[in-house]
């Protein structure tokens, strides 16, 4: 699997929505006014009810999910922001993680993205601007449980940083998490949009993590995303600024030559950054719910995601066969361990059998990993 080490074939997306859809009364929120000031020339259209807006869009477009990415709706989220990571599912070991969904959909277009199915009925790209309500809710929960540690991520239904220069959530989240004694914020991204992070003076309680794949896989399966080297340069800049950083090799995609591709990925990572200073690398293999397969094949006919056999697990998701997953985890874990004796490596969304096969133990029996699992 040849690799383009320049990583420059995919320019960073300078995203500008075609249209801004504004929920009635949204301008009363400071973040909405901030976003509008950053996009003065983008056409605006008001709406009262986002479901009506979504129905209009669905009736007018062919690739509804793809079209949803081209516009941006500013709305107010009316429910509870904080929820337990959906990795809590039958047969899976979960890393005890909380998510807040500040926005939905993503400017990138990865072939394997579960949002294509998950947001199928509601594909509008939405940014919720009532960030004050989120911070109030978090403050209440963190105060109510002072003896618990909260690890909170914003990247479940979107990329945490891809839009941060247009929708600057981090300018609100970073100062808030800096003050917490029992919570950390994880910003999970494929982006290099780190300007707000570099302009912020305090990295306390913030972890920034990048999803990585070999550059050839990025070019084929992660459309519109910054390349490997751009991501690693962003990670290095954040590390230099004092942020804690992590990496997700997720989804690991097993196409012919994957061993060499991931070996090169580990080498480039470790040659670019002081790997011993990285908080963790997580490993997770490609997985999907059955309904996603036909969507992927329709939207990404050139994909190589289905070159191997997949079988459903207890949680209903399809994965590579267990021996192949074991082999991939052991091989990639071996590459990483050959470059660092202290790096924390864990498996994401995997069964306890795979944990035991690959690591010889369950996560709770490893002190180093307890910081991630004993929350
Ligand atoms: S970066 Fe993440 S959220 Fe965005 S398209 Fe890719 S997989 Fe989906």
């Amino acid at each position: 699997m040849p690799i383009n080490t320049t990583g420059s074939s995919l320019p960073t997306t300078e995203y500008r929505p075609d249209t801004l859809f504004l929920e009635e009364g949204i301008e009363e929120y400071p973040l909405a006014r901030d976003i509008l000031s950053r996009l003065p020339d983008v056409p605006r259209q008001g709406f009262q009810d986002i479901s009506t807006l979504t129905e209009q869009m669905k009736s007018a477009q062919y690739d509804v999910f793809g079209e949803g990415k081209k516009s941006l709706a500013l709305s107010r989220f009316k429910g509870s922001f904080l929820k337990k990571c959906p990795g809590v599912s039958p047969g899976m070991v979960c890393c005890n993680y909380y998510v807040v969904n500040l926005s939905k959909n993503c400017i990138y277009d990865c072939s394997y993205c579960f949002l294509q199915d998950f947001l199928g009925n509601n594909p509008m790209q939405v940014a919720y601007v009532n960030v004050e309500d989120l911070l109030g809710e978090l403050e209440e929960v963190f105060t109510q449980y002072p003896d618990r540690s909260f690890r909170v991520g914003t990247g479940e239904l979107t990329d945490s940083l891809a839009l941060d220069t247009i929708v600057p959530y981090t300018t609100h989240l970073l100062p808030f998490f800096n003050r917490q004694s029992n919570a950390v914020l994880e910003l999970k991204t494929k982006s290099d949009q780190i300007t707000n992070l570099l302009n912020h003076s305090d990295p306390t309680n913030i972890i920034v993590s990048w999803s990585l794949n070999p550059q050839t896989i990025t070019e084929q399966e992660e459309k519109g995303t910054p390349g490997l080297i751009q991501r690693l340069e962003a990670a290095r800049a954040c590390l230099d600024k004092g942020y804690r950083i992590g990496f997700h090799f997720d989804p690991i995609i097993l196409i012919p030559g994957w061993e060499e591709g991931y070996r090169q990925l580990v080498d480039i990572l470790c040659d670019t950054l002081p790997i011993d200073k990285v908080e963790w690398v997580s490993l997770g293999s490609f997985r999907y719910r059955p309904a996603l397969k036909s969507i992927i094949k329709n939207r990404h006919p050139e994909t190589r995601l289905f070159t191997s056999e997949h079988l459903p697990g207890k949680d209903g998701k399809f994965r590579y066969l267990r021996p192949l997953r074991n082999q991939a985890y052991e091989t990639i874990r071996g590459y990483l361990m050959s470059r660092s004796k202290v790096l924390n490596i864990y498996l994401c969304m995997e069964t306890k059998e795979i944990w035991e096969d690959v690591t010889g133990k369950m996560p709770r029996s490893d002190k180093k990993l307890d910081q991630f699992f004993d929350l």
Side-chain angles (χ1 to χ4, degrees):
M1 182 189 294
I3 196 160
N4 170 7
T5 53
T6 68
S8 58
S9 60
L10 290 167
T12 300
T13 306
E14 286 297 334
Y15 174 80
R16 280 176 66 79
D18 289 348
T19 309
L20 271 171
F21 292 102
L22 307 178
E23 188 176 317
E24 198 173 69
I26 210 71
E27 289 94 337
E28 75 182 65
Y29 291 95
L31 178 57
R33 294 198 295 274
D34 189 357
I35 296 166
L36 293 173
S37 74
R38 292 164 191 254
L39 297 167
D41 304 326
V42 175
R44 301 171 186 187
Q45 191 177 315
F47 70 91
Q48 285 187 326
D49 175 8
I50 201 152
S51 55
T52 312
L53 192 62
T54 304
E55 286 310 312
Q56 284 170 3
M57 191 189 74
K58 281 162 69 176
S59 64
Q61 303 293 344
Y62 170 62
D63 178 16
V64 175
F65 184 76
E67 288 300 318
K69 294 170 180 288
K70 293 181 183 170
S71 51
L72 178 63
L74 305 188
S75 181
R76 176 176 171 272
F77 188 69
K78 298 169 187 80
S80 170
F81 279 101
L82 188 66
K83 62 179 182 130
K84 198 87 165 63
C85 173
V88 186
S89 51
M92 295 296 119
V93 172
C94 181
C95 48
N96 211 355
Y97 190 75
Y98 294 81
V99 291
V100 295
N101 290 320
L102 276 166
S103 56
K104 287 193 314 191
N105 212 329
C106 175
I107 61 172
Y108 304 139
D109 199 8
C110 303
S111 60
Y112 50 75
C113 182
F114 84 107
L115 297 179
Q116 297 170 101
D117 172 34
F118 190 80
L119 297 181
N121 290 323
N122 193 0
M124 177 68 73
Q125 182 163 248
V126 181
Y128 298 110
V129 296
N130 50 326
V131 69
E132 301 81 2
D133 294 340
L134 164 70
L135 301 186
E137 184 186 335
L138 293 179
E139 183 102 58
E140 202 177 307
V141 174
F142 297 164
T143 309
Q144 196 177 354
Y145 300 100
D147 298 332
R148 292 179 68 179
S149 299
F150 292 86
R151 183 176 162 218
V152 179
T154 58
E156 187 202 6
L157 301 183
T158 192
D159 182 290
S160 293
L161 290 177
L163 272 184
D164 204 54
T165 50
I166 294 175
V167 184
Y169 285 128
T170 56
T171 59
H172 298 259
L173 293 172
L174 267 50
F176 173 82
F177 274 88
N178 289 158
R179 294 195 303 272
Q180 305 308 312
S181 58
N182 60 339
V184 296
L185 172 69
E186 183 189 342
L187 299 165
K188 186 175 173 184
T189 190
K190 291 188 176 83
S191 162
D192 58 359
Q193 301 296 300
I194 55 169
T195 308
N196 292 332
L197 273 63
L198 299 185
N199 287 340
H200 185 71
S201 58
D202 186 356
T204 306
N205 296 332
I206 311 298
I207 304 178
V208 197
S209 66
W210 278 264
S211 304
L212 300 181
N213 249 314
Q215 178 64 23
T216 46
I217 290 178
T218 290
E219 288 172 15
Q220 190 154 35
E221 310 290 349
E222 299 176 344
K223 293 189 196 77
T225 62
L228 173 61
I229 297 299
Q230 286 164 284
R231 293 181 211 178
L232 291 178
E233 283 173 353
R236 188 170 51 192
C238 285
L239 185 66
D240 290 347
K241 183 76 182 178
Y243 290 99
R244 297 161 66 191
I245 64 166
F247 294 100
H248 303 272
F249 287 12
D250 191 359
I252 292 168
I253 295 170
L254 302 177
I255 57 178
W258 64 265
E259 296 93 336
E260 179 61 9
Y262 283 95
R263 190 191 61 72
Q264 288 188 25
L265 171 61
V266 170
D267 283 347
I268 293 167
L269 167 64
C270 298
D271 291 345
T272 309
L273 291 160
I275 192 68
D276 287 353
K277 292 189 175 170
V278 168
E279 296 289 322
W280 78 83
V281 174
S282 79
L283 309 179
S285 65
F286 172 50
R287 55 202 173 271
Y288 59 95
R289 293 196 185 282
L292 184 59
K293 186 171 182 177
S294 60
I295 299 171
I296 293 174
K297 287 192 159 182
N298 270 334
R299 295 198 66 245
H300 309 277
E302 72 296 340
T303 185
R304 299 181 75 194
L305 289 175
F306 301 109
T307 51
S308 295
E309 189 181 353
H310 303 95
L311 282 180
K314 287 180 193 161
D315 61 352
K317 289 183 189 169
F318 282 69
R319 291 173 169 79
Y320 296 112
L321 307 191
R322 182 171 160 185
L324 184 56
R325 272 148 67 209
N326 267 346
Q327 186 197 348
Y329 292 140
E330 281 171 5
T331 302
I332 298 170
R333 191 165 176 263
Y335 296 152
L336 288 163
M337 289 173 73
S338 75
R339 297 296 299 258
S340 171
K341 301 292 176 238
V342 297
L343 180 65
N344 295 313
I345 305 165
Y346 74 88
L347 307 183
C348 187
M349 304 276 269
E350 270 299 355
T351 61
K352 69 179 177 44
E353 290 82 6
I354 292 268
W355 265 97
E356 283 163 352
D357 285 352
V358 175
T359 68
K361 56 199 164 191
M362 287 293 288
R364 292 188 65 88
S365 65
D366 186 325
K367 276 200 179 118
K368 278 202 261 176
L369 290 175
D370 272 358
Q371 59 184 302
F372 302 119
F373 293 95
D374 194 19
L375 294 177

